[in-house]
Amino acid sequence: MMTLGAGISLEKNPTLAAKEAVRSARTKMQKERVNLAIVFSSTDLSSPPLLKTIGSMLEGVPIIGASGLAVISNQGILKHGLAIMLVSFPKSIHYNAACTREISVKGGLAAGEELGDKLLQQFKNIPRTLGLVFSDKLIEEDSNFIYGLQTRLGSSFPLVGAYASNNPSLLKTHLYYHQDIFSDACAGILLGGKLSFGLGVKHGWKPLGKPHTVTSVKGNLVEKIDDKPAVKFYEHYLDCDSAKLKTELKRISVLYPLGIYLAGEEEYLLRNILSIEENGSLRFQSNVPQDSRIRLMIGTKETCLDATRHAVDEAKKGLSASVSEMKKMETNNFAVVFSSLSRYALLRKELDKELEIIKEGLGPDTPLIGLYAHGELAPLRAANRLGKVYIHNQTVSVLNIGG
Amino acid sequence: MQNQPYSIISVLGPIGILSAAALSVALAIKSNKTKELRAKVDNLQKTLEEMDEQAKLLVSTDMELNNLQEELDKKITGLYSLQKLSRTISTTLEEDQIFTRVEPALLEDLGFEKSMAFLWNEKDKKFVPRLDIGYAEDETGPIASFVDLNKNAFLDIIKTSRTLSSISLSQDSVTKEKICNAFKVNSFIVAPILPKEGNKGFFFVGTENAETPLTEGDEELITILANQIGQALENARLFETTWRAHQELENKVKERTRELTLALEEVKNISKRKTDFVSSVSHELRTPLTSVKGYASILLASKLWVLPDEVRARLEKINKHTDELVQFVNDLLDISRIESGKVTMKQEAQDLTRITAEVSDLLGVLLKEKKIGLSCNIADDAKSVFVDYNQIKRVFINIINNALKFTPPGGKITIKSYKAGEQAQIDISDTGCGIPEEAQSKIFEEFYRVDNPINQEVKGTGLGLTLVKNIIEAHKGKIWVKSKVGTGSTFSFTLPQP
């Protein structure tokens, strides 16, 4: 049975915060040996002393995590804080953590392949079940990165993760691996053995207007839609010129993201606009495939929160047994939640509602940890199976791990 | 017939004609279907276009609603944060704590992640930082230097009571650029902190977020918040002044109390020394007085020889004065004994009518001689008293003796007793000459005698009423006098009841 210990701190000093959160988490672990520490912190705490302190207190335990605009915990959404989840796996569960640096030099594909190779090193003849991956948000070739990972781990292997996020003042996002803080890096943990998990990935935005086609694209830079400069797409629906669009880009990006139709998938894949280029091209937060059928998407706070409810339901269904049955079977569960920065911007005062929905859905005893991310990595659910892994925007993904 | 040209029939034959006819029919049908399909496609296209137009309308309405909602949310959030900040700030009366109560989370809700506050120090002629939020330790120093370098500009904000912001300054303003660079923000508001008394200053808030523009509403909120800080500073300073004054007063009271305690101790010591002295002197006097009186009595008894009349007269005077002196010494001794607590009252339940009857009997001859009437009116519920019989009898004798002394012949003395609370009150009234008002508070003092013609004629020690007072107080009672010159006096005292 997995043993879990979650701790948080609101201390402003990184060293004190680390001490408080680790102590709190350890108390709940009793004398169990810790196998893994998942660490998420707000950007203001993201500094070397934070990881050094956690590392020295946990003595050799693999640490993996990232910084974000806000941290999700059982105690609330922490705009300034630290959350730690300590996990002690039973012998029937196997795990291996790895990290790859200098992605920008290696390229997305090579970085993905390298991380995949490293993760597999401890998994010879052991069936793998799930991969948890974190990456710097500044990865440019994100699709290639996933492809690289999939070439090693399997094209339909479930990967769940997040891109680190930051506040507007920081240019770098931070990735936590063991006792170090990295930028331009990715890290992951591969899990296998007697482990089950449920995953819910939803956004709550609905398509609006007629379908269009992406006729020219380079990675995340969409040049033409229906053979016209991409910006015309938004100018048409919002009835304004690009200058006006630029002034309200952040709001428009959150309220009306681009929806990519994916044949056979239940949900549209959303993309937030990052910028409008001089030539009328639109730069999105993640890659958009060539010839994609796209729609303008619309959502409200209510549909957004409904989606969270559905995501939690799916995450619960995916476990091999219900939470109450798991307790009887002497197994345990915890949840890792990634929610988009766009949801953070949209929900604002109702952020706590999203957390309440998650807590209520998973049950008050399920420890959870999470991050407001710059992009969420998860498979979209096809009719009866977990489908292909994508980088999502505007999405909440709830990963419920039991074992 | 042979010259007839080849007809279609002859060329295609009948089957061919039939096939051609079928083909043309099929083509006609297909053409119709194509037309229908095209019409459907056109319809669909049109519907899609209409949907797209509807989508535009929907987006436009949604955008407007979102704008309104956001504005409303911002206002509500702003007001809520302002109210919370104001409440937190105003709940402290310590100047240093006012700034520490500005919570970063609430400022963030107002849309600002950075803040600083400075107060002008008149003595050093410089701005002193009192608050910094959102800055690293090494960032505040350069900002303080910038403020010092541009102190006149910031003093101007205080002097003019004017809020300055990145929206009130023109886009290309040098000041705006300077402030943005120094404070590391994209937009900012600087509002004056203006308490009525003491150091004034300014409150700065800023954000690096370039995407959410400031509004005049933000300016208003921050100005109100700065006013609240000013008000809180004023209250804290006022409290500080009042508290200091209170402390000073308390210290003075303590000092005075200490002095008074010392003085009281001194008075007690002096009083004790006096009592000891009087007691000692009285003892020493009583022994020779007893001898003097003894010898005088022997001589007067004429047992040794017959005394000439002149000698007898002198001896009688000696005897009389000795008696007076003995009485005086005895009174003094009694007073000092009671004061020093050497005499304990042997309190028992006594009948007041018995005491008054005995006193009346004792003084009957004198009353008769002066033709003064004595009446007693003792209420049933005030009859029983818990007293030392002999001592209280002395009280009655002393007071009535005084009344006799100062009441002209034909006058009247009245004893009245009634219940007053849990005690019995006794009023002894006479129709004598009365006591002047200024003397009334002094008559219980030792050796005090009212300055009147009777006292000038009749001898007295000035100890009688002092003794009376001591006896009453030893019974936990009180004694006082009410008197009017020419009308008479009433001596009232209380006695415990069983």
Side-chain angles (χ1 to χ4, degrees), chain A residues 183-235:
Chain A
S183 284
D184 194 19
C186 55
I189 179 153
L190 198 60
L191 297 165
K194 208 176 171 186
L195 173 98
S196 73
F197 73 92
L199 175 67
V201 186
K202 297 281 173 193
H203 49 69
W205 268 256
K206 304 289 173 202
L208 191 70
K210 66 179 184 184
H212 300 261
T213 307
V214 174
T215 47
S216 174
V217 63
K218 282 178 188 159
N220 65 345
L221 184 71
V222 177
E223 294 168 333
K224 298 270 168 78
I225 296 172
D226 295 336
D227 292 323
K228 289 180 219 160
V231 72
K232 295 284 174 198
F233 174 81
Y234 275 94
E235 283 179 7

XYZ file of all heavy atoms in Angstrom, chain A residues 183-235:
395
model
N 16.509 25.607 -15.654
C 15.699 26.136 -16.742
C 16.186 25.403 -17.983
O 17.257 24.779 -17.960
C 15.931 27.629 -16.905
O 15.255 28.299 -15.883
N 15.409 25.486 -19.083
C 15.783 24.812 -20.317
C 16.010 23.314 -20.069
O 17.019 22.753 -20.470
C 17.055 25.470 -20.903
C 17.305 25.057 -22.341
O 16.345 24.573 -22.982
O 18.448 25.174 -22.806
N 15.077 22.710 -19.354
C 15.244 21.293 -19.008
C 13.880 20.623 -18.900
O 12.839 21.290 -18.880
C 15.978 21.175 -17.673
N 13.925 19.280 -18.896
C 12.698 18.524 -18.672
C 13.035 17.351 -17.749
O 14.179 16.907 -17.694
C 12.104 18.027 -19.976
S 13.246 17.055 -20.947
N 12.047 16.915 -17.021
C 12.280 15.806 -16.096
C 11.016 14.968 -16.021
O 9.924 15.442 -16.349
C 12.639 16.339 -14.709
N 11.184 13.725 -15.627
C 9.993 12.883 -15.542
C 10.196 11.727 -14.591
O 11.306 11.470 -14.108
N 9.108 11.059 -14.315
C 9.174 9.841 -13.517
C 8.293 8.799 -14.200
O 7.165 9.097 -14.603
C 8.782 10.083 -12.044
C 8.852 8.774 -11.268
C 7.396 10.671 -11.896
C 9.137 8.958 -9.812
N 8.852 7.612 -14.331
C 8.118 6.528 -14.966
C 7.642 5.589 -13.858
O 8.403 5.232 -12.964
C 9.074 5.793 -15.926
C 8.446 4.911 -16.987
C 7.523 5.705 -17.903
C 9.546 4.241 -17.822
N 6.370 5.224 -13.928
C 5.804 4.357 -12.894
C 5.311 3.070 -13.536
O 4.781 3.079 -14.657
C 4.642 5.059 -12.191
C 4.981 6.338 -11.430
C 3.719 7.112 -11.108
C 5.752 6.021 -10.155
N 5.444 1.980 -12.822
C 4.973 0.699 -13.344
C 4.698 -0.272 -12.217
O 4.900 0.039 -11.039
N 4.202 -1.438 -12.568
C 3.892 -2.434 -11.538
C 2.431 -2.371 -11.142
O 1.563 -1.988 -11.941
N 2.186 -2.754 -9.874
C 0.798 -2.851 -9.408
C 0.258 -1.460 -9.059
O 0.177 -1.074 -7.905
C 0.756 -3.749 -8.169
C -0.573 -4.447 -8.001
C -0.500 -5.384 -6.820
C -1.888 -5.915 -6.503
N -1.885 -6.720 -5.284
N -0.056 -0.766 -10.127
C -0.476 0.637 -9.977
C -1.656 0.880 -10.902
O -1.681 0.406 -12.032
C 0.710 1.520 -10.395
C 0.486 3.001 -10.485
C 0.972 3.670 -9.210
C 1.278 3.567 -11.661
N -2.638 1.570 -10.429
C -3.726 1.943 -11.342
C -3.892 3.458 -11.293
O -3.490 4.102 -10.310
C -5.021 1.243 -10.963
O -5.558 1.806 -9.796
N -4.445 3.986 -12.339
C -4.658 5.428 -12.333
C -5.882 5.797 -13.156
O -6.324 5.051 -14.033
C -3.421 6.162 -12.876
C -3.230 6.054 -14.354
C -3.753 7.005 -15.219
C -2.520 4.987 -14.896
C -3.577 6.891 -16.582
C -2.334 4.869 -16.257
C -2.865 5.823 -17.113
N -6.463 6.902 -12.807
C -7.581 7.445 -13.570
C -7.219 8.856 -13.987
O -6.535 9.576 -13.240
N -7.640 9.229 -15.185
C -7.267 10.555 -15.671
C -8.479 11.245 -16.287
O -9.205 10.654 -17.090
C -6.157 10.423 -16.726
C -5.731 11.707 -17.422
C -5.039 12.658 -16.471
C -4.809 11.393 -18.595
N -8.681 12.474 -15.906
C -9.734 13.280 -16.519
C -9.127 14.543 -17.084
O -8.402 15.254 -16.382
N -9.354 14.801 -18.368
C -8.798 15.991 -19.016
C -9.944 16.733 -19.706
O -10.527 16.213 -20.665
C -7.723 15.609 -20.061
C -7.062 16.856 -20.625
C -6.698 14.689 -19.459
N -10.281 17.897 -19.223
C -11.415 18.640 -19.788
C -11.112 20.138 -19.789
O -10.307 20.615 -18.990
C -12.677 18.408 -18.945
C -13.174 16.983 -18.904
C -13.927 16.627 -20.159
C -14.267 15.136 -20.153
N -14.728 14.672 -21.445
N -11.831 20.858 -20.691
C -11.653 22.315 -20.645
C -12.974 23.068 -20.500
O -13.049 24.069 -19.830
C -10.861 22.820 -21.857
C -11.325 22.322 -23.176
N -12.512 22.683 -23.731
C -10.716 21.470 -24.072
C -12.635 22.115 -24.915
N -11.563 21.349 -25.152
N -14.027 22.624 -21.196
C -15.324 23.293 -21.030
C -15.640 24.341 -22.085
O -16.639 25.038 -21.984
N -14.805 24.467 -23.110
C -15.079 25.433 -24.186
C -15.822 24.724 -25.319
O -15.576 23.540 -25.587
C -13.775 26.046 -24.709
C -13.423 27.314 -23.994
C -13.574 28.582 -24.476
C -12.876 27.449 -22.689
N -13.152 29.499 -23.538
C -12.725 28.837 -22.428
C -12.504 26.553 -21.698
C -12.221 29.334 -21.236
C -12.016 27.035 -20.503
C -11.879 28.412 -20.273
N -16.736 25.443 -25.970
C -17.551 24.847 -27.042
C -17.254 25.548 -28.372
O -16.996 26.766 -28.390
C -19.044 25.011 -26.725
C -19.450 24.444 -25.380
C -19.415 22.930 -25.390
C -19.651 22.391 -23.994
N -19.143 21.034 -23.820
N -17.340 24.779 -29.499
C -17.062 25.412 -30.803
C -18.174 26.367 -31.224
O -19.338 26.165 -30.885
C -16.973 24.223 -31.755
C -17.708 23.129 -31.088
C -17.629 23.359 -29.616
N -17.757 27.372 -31.975
C -18.699 28.414 -32.389
C -18.377 28.782 -33.838
O -17.209 28.845 -34.231
C -18.486 29.620 -31.467
C -19.496 30.749 -31.508
C -20.816 30.305 -30.900
C -18.966 31.938 -30.705
N -19.400 29.026 -34.640
C -19.158 29.444 -36.031
C -18.764 28.269 -36.909
O -18.759 27.117 -36.469
N -18.419 28.601 -38.126
C -18.132 27.511 -39.079
C -16.674 27.052 -38.966
O -15.818 27.808 -38.480
C -18.454 27.984 -40.488
C -17.567 29.095 -40.991
C -17.955 29.468 -42.402
C -16.990 30.521 -42.939
N -17.382 30.988 -44.277
N -16.401 25.837 -39.441
C -15.013 25.338 -39.386
C -14.121 26.062 -40.403
O -14.603 26.508 -41.435
C -15.153 23.865 -39.749
C -16.607 23.562 -39.783
C -17.325 24.846 -40.000
N -12.858 26.158 -40.057
C -11.868 26.768 -40.949
C -10.671 25.822 -41.041
O -10.578 24.868 -40.256
C -11.403 28.126 -40.400
C -12.523 29.117 -40.242
N -12.792 30.090 -41.156
C -13.448 29.254 -39.262
C -13.834 30.804 -40.752
N -14.253 30.311 -39.594
N -9.788 26.125 -41.956
C -8.631 25.235 -42.132
C -7.330 26.031 -41.992
O -7.214 27.143 -42.528
C -8.658 24.588 -43.532
O -9.935 23.977 -43.700
C -7.574 23.536 -43.688
N -6.404 25.432 -41.259
C -5.072 26.050 -41.127
C -4.313 25.686 -42.393
O -4.003 24.511 -42.617
C -4.348 25.528 -39.865
C -2.919 26.048 -39.808
C -5.108 25.928 -38.621
N -4.063 26.656 -43.208
C -3.448 26.342 -44.501
C -1.939 26.564 -44.524
O -1.269 26.103 -45.431
C -4.117 27.174 -45.617
O -4.200 28.531 -45.193
C -5.512 26.657 -45.902
N -1.426 27.280 -43.527
C 0.034 27.441 -43.462
C 0.452 27.632 -42.000
O -0.069 28.524 -41.310
C 0.456 28.662 -44.286
O 1.840 28.894 -44.109
N 1.362 26.779 -41.535
C 1.792 26.840 -40.132
C 3.231 26.372 -39.989
O 3.684 25.520 -40.737
C 0.837 25.985 -39.244
C 0.864 24.518 -39.605
C 1.139 26.167 -37.759
N 3.928 27.010 -39.011
C 5.286 26.547 -38.687
C 5.332 26.361 -37.177
O 5.440 27.341 -36.435
C 6.320 27.574 -39.121
C 6.600 27.549 -40.598
C 7.602 28.620 -40.980
C 7.709 28.700 -42.502
N 8.243 29.993 -42.942
N 5.184 25.158 -36.727
C 5.185 24.882 -35.275
C 3.991 25.532 -34.597
O 2.848 25.164 -34.848
N 4.285 26.541 -33.771
C 3.180 27.209 -33.081
C 2.819 28.545 -33.742
O 2.024 29.300 -33.208
C 3.512 27.420 -31.594
C 4.670 28.377 -31.385
O 5.417 28.671 -32.331
N 4.819 28.877 -30.175
N 3.453 28.821 -34.915
C 3.162 30.073 -35.624
C 2.216 29.787 -36.801
O 2.624 29.244 -37.829
C 4.473 30.701 -36.130
C 4.301 32.049 -36.792
C 3.938 33.135 -35.766
C 5.573 32.463 -37.534
N 0.961 30.138 -36.632
C -0.029 29.922 -37.693
C 0.001 31.134 -38.615
O -0.308 32.257 -38.201
C -1.445 29.713 -37.092
C -2.481 29.565 -38.199
C -1.462 28.491 -36.193
N 0.384 30.866 -39.856
C 0.524 31.983 -40.807
C -0.781 32.255 -41.539
O -1.189 33.401 -41.682
C 1.640 31.666 -41.805
C 3.000 31.609 -41.139
C 4.074 31.012 -42.054
O 3.726 30.196 -42.941
O 5.247 31.361 -41.858
N -1.428 31.190 -42.020
C -2.634 31.367 -42.841
C -3.766 30.467 -42.351
O -3.559 29.295 -42.017
C -2.332 31.020 -44.308
C -1.282 31.898 -44.984
C -1.946 33.104 -45.638
C -0.957 34.159 -46.073
N -0.259 33.851 -47.307
N -4.942 31.030 -42.332
C -6.151 30.253 -42.092
C -7.058 30.514 -43.292
O -7.318 31.689 -43.616
C -6.835 30.678 -40.764
C -5.927 30.358 -39.569
C -8.194 29.984 -40.605
C -6.408 30.897 -38.234
N -7.497 29.465 -43.925
C -8.284 29.587 -45.170
C -7.559 30.481 -46.176
O -8.176 31.351 -46.821
C -9.685 30.165 -44.883
C -10.528 29.249 -44.024
O -10.248 28.030 -44.024
O -11.444 29.746 -43.339
N -6.248 30.289 -46.216
C -5.377 31.021 -47.146
C -5.351 32.537 -46.913
O -4.927 33.298 -47.793
C -5.784 30.724 -48.609
C -5.480 29.289 -48.985
O -4.428 28.779 -48.521
O -6.298 28.672 -49.669
N -5.851 32.959 -45.779
C -5.772 34.389 -45.446
C -4.885 34.546 -44.214
O -4.754 33.577 -43.447
C -7.172 34.917 -45.102
C -8.099 35.030 -46.294
C -9.441 35.569 -45.800
C -10.572 34.889 -46.523
N -11.828 34.983 -45.826
N -4.282 35.725 -44.009
C -3.480 35.896 -42.781
C -4.290 35.473 -41.556
O -5.480 35.812 -41.453
C -3.177 37.389 -42.759
C -3.271 37.811 -44.176
C -4.325 36.938 -44.814
N -3.643 34.719 -40.699
C -4.360 34.097 -39.571
C -5.135 35.111 -38.715
O -6.207 34.804 -38.188
C -3.370 33.334 -38.704
N -4.581 36.320 -38.600
C -5.226 37.311 -37.723
C -6.644 37.653 -38.198
O -7.503 38.047 -37.407
C -4.340 38.574 -37.597
C -4.354 39.388 -38.884
C -4.770 39.426 -36.413
N -6.894 37.481 -39.511
C -8.220 37.788 -40.076
C -9.306 36.935 -39.416
O -10.451 37.350 -39.307
C -8.230 37.533 -41.601
C -7.320 38.436 -42.375
C -7.925 39.838 -42.497
C -6.927 40.786 -43.149
N -7.262 42.186 -42.912
N -8.895 35.733 -39.009
C -9.836 34.819 -38.348
C -10.431 35.497 -37.107
O -11.642 35.530 -36.913
C -9.061 33.547 -37.972
C -9.829 32.543 -37.156
C -10.705 31.657 -37.763
C -9.663 32.474 -35.777
C -11.402 30.726 -37.001
C -10.345 31.551 -35.013
C -11.222 30.666 -35.635
N -9.565 36.075 -36.298
C -10.031 36.749 -35.073
C -10.659 38.096 -35.390
O -11.633 38.510 -34.752
C -8.889 36.893 -34.061
C -8.740 35.649 -33.208
C -7.851 34.645 -33.553
C -9.537 35.472 -32.085
C -7.748 33.495 -32.787
C -9.444 34.321 -31.322
C -8.552 33.345 -31.666
O -8.467 32.210 -30.909
N -10.104 38.784 -36.378
C -10.685 40.083 -36.758
C -12.137 39.890 -37.184
O -13.009 40.696 -36.866
C -9.883 40.705 -37.914
C -8.572 41.312 -37.469
C -7.780 41.906 -38.641
O -8.316 41.954 -39.771
O -6.634 42.300 -38.415
